[in-house]
Structure formats: C-alpha cells, structure tokens
Amino acid sequence: MPRHQRILSKSGTYHVMMRGNERKNLFLDEEDKQRFLETLFAKKKEAGFSLFAFCLMDNHVHLVIQEGQESLATTMKRINTSYAYYFNQKYNRVGHLFQDRFKSETIEDERYLMAVTRYIHNNPIKADIVEKAEDYKWSSYKYYLAPDKPESRNINTDVILRSISLDQTQAIRAFKDFSLQKDTNQFMDINEDEAWTLEESKVYLEEYLKKEWSGYQMQELMKNKNTRNEIVLHIREKTNLSIRKTADLLGITRGRIQYLK
C-alpha cells in the first residue's frame, strides 16, 4: 500500500503517535519510560522544538510537538533512533522497535491544542490504568498542575494556561475542570480492534506457543481437538484475523475453524 503524503501544519504543531513494531511493548519497565523521557528532553534541547504534552503507554506514545530548528520527521528520527539503540542494547535484541512511520495530525489553533492535550492525558483513564489523570506518572498532566517546578520547564505549559487565564492559580483550576469534561471529537490513536497482519500474527503466535505450549510441535497441537480449539479461539480473539487467514497461519483447514467442536 503506498504511503500517503504527510499533511504539513501551518503552525508547525502536531499531535504525534508512535507504536511498537508488531504491536510489541516499547517499555518493559519504568526504567525504560524514564530513559525515553530523558531522550525526549535531550533532543528537545538540541533541536529547539517545543513540547506541549506527552503520554507514555506500554506499547505506544503520544506527543504534542511544535517544530524547532529541524523538520518533524528529522526530530522523530533522532528520538526514535536514540531510544531504540538503548532498548536493543538493554534487552540484547536486534531489529526495528517502532512500527514503520510515526503518525501525525496537524494542530492549527489553541482550542484544538487544548482538546488534544486533554485527550492524551486521559489515555491512562481510558485504558483503566488509573481513575484520575494526576495519578498517572508517565504523562505531562502533572506539569500543568505545577508549572513552576524545575522539571516542568521541559513542557511548554504557558500557551494553554495563559490562554485560559493570566492568573496562574485560576488557570490551573480551570485546566483541571476542562480535563474532566467529555469530548466527542475523534482523535488519532491506535486501533486495537484492527485486524493484525499475517507477519504480526506469526510473531505473536511464536511467542504464545513458546509461553503456553513449550516443548510441543505445532502439528501435534493441531491434531488434538481441545488444544486446537483453544489456540484457534485465542488467536482469533487476539488478532481479529479472518477465518481464511487464521487457517493459513495455523496450517489447518477453514472447516476446522468454522465448526469448532
């Protein structure tokens, strides 16, 4: 499928999303998340871009960035390459860490900037990780609640807070209220319900079999009705593959899947 040309923002501001290659996690522990933030903030100083918001989830990242001295593509390449090198060294792995190209959408006004920021700060709530945005450690929400703290200088909180009120205390209170409001807009995000590619499914199947059925051969598992049905149901539920692609992946007939008994 041909790549679509990236839409350029007149303001130079973008909502950016990166996800793990083959839907794998980008972060396996808190040290990984901390390292990504250190990389992000270091590249911010080097390239001079402005960072309005971020949220690190296990298998994807949301950023709100305004271009600095270089293009968004160059900035993202620097961030991704540096973090991927750390991750591959730490876990003794090779290959791509991030899925192909990052996704981006343009932000042209303060109203949409606020809405996007609210959306990504609420990602951990949507994922049932926390009940309140301030309870999540790995987003920029806490910087908006304490903009004068030294660590908050990595985030450009002024644009949003000053657009609300020049009185910082009032601005923070209103920002918290705004963050609790529901939004019916559709924002860029990962689609977990989207069917996996066969390549993604093969990687997942290998890891699943290694974890749950270590020591057994695939053909042996497929001959047993109970184990076959269990694996088929698990793979279909996890990957959303069609019956035909599931049959191809597991090396069985479509009938075995259509009429599970």
Side-chain angles (χ1 to χ4, degrees):
M1 182 179 293
R3 290 182 174 182
H4 297 290
Q5 185 175 4
R6 198 178 298 281
I7 299 175
L8 300 181
S9 168
K10 295 178 182 178
S11 69
T13 307
Y14 298 87
H15 170 202
V16 176
M17 189 196 72
M18 305 169 288
R19 70 183 301 175
N21 192 37
E22 296 168 343
R23 309 191 189 213
K24 293 183 179 179
N25 284 350
L26 294 169
F27 313 107
L28 302 186
D29 57 28
E30 290 199 344
E31 181 185 45
D32 295 342
K33 290 187 173 78
Q34 184 59 43
R35 180 55 176 261
F36 182 87
L37 288 184
E38 291 172 359
T39 300
L40 177 64
F41 296 155
K43 299 306 177 185
K44 175 180 175 291
K45 290 182 179 180
E46 293 175 10
F49 62 82
S50 188
L51 183 63
F52 294 107
F54 69 82
C55 184
L56 312 186
M57 304 296 281
D58 285 345
N59 66 348
H60 69 285
V61 172
H62 287 279
L63 304 174
V64 180
I65 285 181
Q66 185 176 51
E67 290 176 323
Q69 302 166 8
E70 58 191 21
S71 69
L72 177 67
T74 300
T75 293
M76 296 312 302
K77 183 177 180 180
R78 292 181 187 277
I79 294 169
N80 291 359
T81 299
S82 180
Y83 179 72
Y85 178 80
Y86 151 82
F87 191 90
N88 286 347
Q89 289 287 107
K90 177 179 177 179
Y91 296 107
N92 192 29
R93 68 182 296 278
V94 294
H96 296 292
L97 176 61
F98 294 93
Q99 179 179 299
D100 198 23
R101 306 167 79 204
F102 62 91
K103 293 183 178 181
S104 67
E105 63 175 346
T106 62
I107 300 175
E108 304 295 1
D109 57 62
E110 289 179 357
R111 178 175 294 184
Y112 195 66
L113 172 64
M114 289 180 63
V116 169
T117 297
R118 171 175 59 191
Y119 177 74
I120 70 172
H121 282 162
N122 285 331
N123 253 232
I125 299 175
K126 180 183 175 183
D128 293 324
I129 298 174
V130 294
E131 293 184 357
K132 297 182 293 184
E134 57 261 41
D135 293 336
Y136 191 64
K137 183 178 179 181
W138 304 104
S139 85
S140 52
Y141 184 83
K142 59 183 176 293
Y143 298 131
Y144 279 90
L145 304 188
D148 291 332
K149 286 189 175 181
E151 58 266 30
S152 299
R153 295 171 187 167
N154 289 306
I155 306 299
N156 185 346
T157 60
D158 282 352
V159 171
I160 289 179
L161 293 180
R162 292 194 177 190
S163 70
I164 298 173
S165 173
L166 294 180
D167 183 303
Q168 188 179 88
T169 301
Q170 291 183 10
I172 294 172
R173 187 182 303 118
F175 177 81
K176 292 178 68 175
D177 291 340
F178 176 78
S179 298
L180 294 173
Q181 296 173 14
K182 292 185 178 181
D183 196 330
T184 58
N185 290 321
Q186 294 294 316
F187 299 98
M188 179 180 64
D189 208 338
I190 62 173
N191 182 4
E192 296 291 5
D193 295 328
E194 180 184 5
W196 294 24
T197 65
L198 268 178
E199 194 59 39
E200 288 175 330
S201 301
K202 287 177 182 177
V203 173
Y204 178 78
L205 177 62
E206 289 177 3
E207 294 183 349
Y208 169 68
L209 293 179
K210 186 183 298 183
K211 178 181 178 181
E212 301 294 336
W213 306 97
S214 179
Y216 290 89
Q217 296 297 318
M218 183 64 153
Q219 291 181 340
E220 182 181 359
L221 293 170
M222 290 299 104
K223 287 179 181 178
N224 183 285
K225 181 179 68 176
N226 293 330
T227 57
R228 180 180 67 242
N229 290 354
E230 183 176 340
I231 293 171
V232 167
L233 291 172
H234 178 84
I235 293 300
R236 292 214 69 203
E237 179 181 356
K238 181 66 178 178
T239 67
N240 286 326
L241 284 179
S242 65
I243 290 177
R244 179 180 62 81
K245 288 186 177 180
T246 302
D248 291 342
L249 176 69
L250 300 177
I252 58 179
T253 65
R254 299 182 201 179
R256 294 279 194 183
I257 299 173
Q258 289 173 316
Y259 306 105
L260 291 180
K261 294 180 180 180

